[in-house]
């Protein structure tokens, strides 16, 4: 019975690992997020499949050459809660999450065409916890306008020293790194990659443990020794103070005792 339960437990763990691996592989295959810089004749499909994992957060930043704008062709299946709130939604702006908003919807779209007003386009697709949702598929490409846009300010932010730089050109707070949430909105070279612990051999772990144990023992020993020594010194001082106080109280009585003895000797000598 124990062997059967043990084998079932191992089998269950293997199946869970396989499921997690499959989800991760499908997430990567979906091409979730990234920074895409197109040539004048280039185009790019944002997804190889319209099926995304639960809680997907995919953010793409597209850049095209000067005198071009970004042309997007979107097919999207949105989702709303029973109360009408958006659960799976699509946001498109002119290059960053704070730039001019071009589209914000959770309604279904089919071959919906949209142009940026400058050389950049920011696209975010976010899904709720439903598994294998039919989300976003899109194609982006440059569209020539002939308008000189070299003076346009690049909306893509420059990350500061306290921020993590995502591969899709987003900047996030460093504390969001390796917290279990895809804050960057991408998969490759993003905040949830390379989050394993320090790679060490077994002997290194043993050496580190022995070193920490020794350091803790020495610290504890020194602390106890210092405490005991201070306690003994305090006790000695208190004892000395007590003796001094006792001597100060006993001195008048000793002097009177000497006088009384002399008086007794005188009386004895007179009577004799």
């Amino acid at each position: 019975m124990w062997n059967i339960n043990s084998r079932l437990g191992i089998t269950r763990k293997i199946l869970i690992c396989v499921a997690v691996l499959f989800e991760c592989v499908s997430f990567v295959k979906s091409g979730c997020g990234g920074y895409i810089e197109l040539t004048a004749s280039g185009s790019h499909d944002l997804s190889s499949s319209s099926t995304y994992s639960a809680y997907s957060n995919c953010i793409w930043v597209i850049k095209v050459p000067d005198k071009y704008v970004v042309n997007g062709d979107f097919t999207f299946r949105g989702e709303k809660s029973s109360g009408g709130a958006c659960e799976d939604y699509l946001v498109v702006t002119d290059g960053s999450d704070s730039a001019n908003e071009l589209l914000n919807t959770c309604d279904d779209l089919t071959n919906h065409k949209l142009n940026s007003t400058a050389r950049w386009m920011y696209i975010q697709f976010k899904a709720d916890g439903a598994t294998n949702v039919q989300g976003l598929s899109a194609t982006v490409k440059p569209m020539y306008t002939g308008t000189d846009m070299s003076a346009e300010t690049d909306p893509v932010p420059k990350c500061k020293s306290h921020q993590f730089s995502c591969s899709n050109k987003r900047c996030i707070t460093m504390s969001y790194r390796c917290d279990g949430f895809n804050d960057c909105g991408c998969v490759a070279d993003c905040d949830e990659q390379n989050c394993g612990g320090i790679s060490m051999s077994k002997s290194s772990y043993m050496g580190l443990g022995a070193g920490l144990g020794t350091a803790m023992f020495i610290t504890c020993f020194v602390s106890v020794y210092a405490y005991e020594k201070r306690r003994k010194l305090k006790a000695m001082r208190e004892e000395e103070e007590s003796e001094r106080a006792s001597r100060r109280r006993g001195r008048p009585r000793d002097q009177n005792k000497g006088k009384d003895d002399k008086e007794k000797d005188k009386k004895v000598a007179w009577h004799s």
Side-chain angles (χ1 to χ4, degrees), residues 67-170:
K67 298 183 181 180
Y68 288 81
V69 296
V70 183
N71 171 258
D73 187 339
F74 300 92
T75 296
F76 172 69
R77 181 181 175 185
E79 186 177 347
K80 296 181 180 179
S81 67
S82 56
C86 288
E87 293 181 341
D88 292 0
Y89 60 87
L90 176 66
V91 176
V92 182
T93 73
D94 272 328
S96 73
D97 54 0
S98 59
N100 177 50
E101 194 171 271
L102 304 173
L103 177 69
N104 188 338
T105 185
C106 54
D107 295 326
D108 292 350
L109 301 174
T110 302
N111 298 123
H112 180 81
K113 291 180 173 52
L114 186 67
N115 294 332
S116 64
T117 56
R119 299 169 55 199
W120 302 270
M121 181 179 281
Y122 170 100
I123 303 166
Q124 180 181 21
F125 162 67
K126 197 162 187 178
D128 65 356
T131 57
N132 297 326
V133 295
Q134 297 295 315
L136 169 71
S137 62
T139 300
V140 290
K141 60 184 180 181
M143 187 175 76
Y144 184 74
T145 62
T147 304
D148 183 7
M149 299 183 188
S150 58
E152 292 283 342
T153 303
D154 190 340
V156 178
K158 304 296 182 185
C159 298
K160 299 178 181 177
S161 59
H162 64 276
Q163 293 179 315
F164 177 77
S165 178
C166 308
S167 62
N168 59 354
K169 302 298 182 181
R170 278 176 49 79

Side-chain angles (χ1 to χ4, degrees), residues 45-60:
D45 293 330
L46 296 186
S47 60
S48 57
S49 169
S50 59
T51 301
Y52 285 80
S53 302
Y55 299 110
S56 292
N57 179 34
C58 305
I59 298 173
W60 296 267

Side-chain angles (χ1 to χ4, degrees), residues 22-32 48 53 187-188 193:
F22 177 78
E23 286 294 324
C24 290
V25 170
S26 66
F27 194 61
V28 172
K29 282 185 178 179
S30 69
C32 179
S48 57
S53 302
V187 176
Q193 276 201 321

Side-chain angles (χ1 to χ4, degrees), residues 211-252:
L212 289 173
T214 303
M216 291 177 66
F217 172 78
I218 293 173
T219 302
C220 182
F221 176 80
V222 170
S223 299
V224 171
Y225 176 78
Y227 171 77
E228 286 295 324
K229 189 170 184 179
R230 188 168 60 180
R231 187 181 65 81
K232 288 180 179 179
L233 286 173
K234 185 178 179 181
M236 290 174 61
R237 288 172 184 166
E238 289 178 351
E239 187 176 352
E240 289 175 358
E241 289 293 332
S242 177
E243 288 180 0
R244 291 194 191 99
S246 179
R247 287 173 185 170
R248 285 195 296 268
R249 289 194 301 270
R251 192 170 297 157

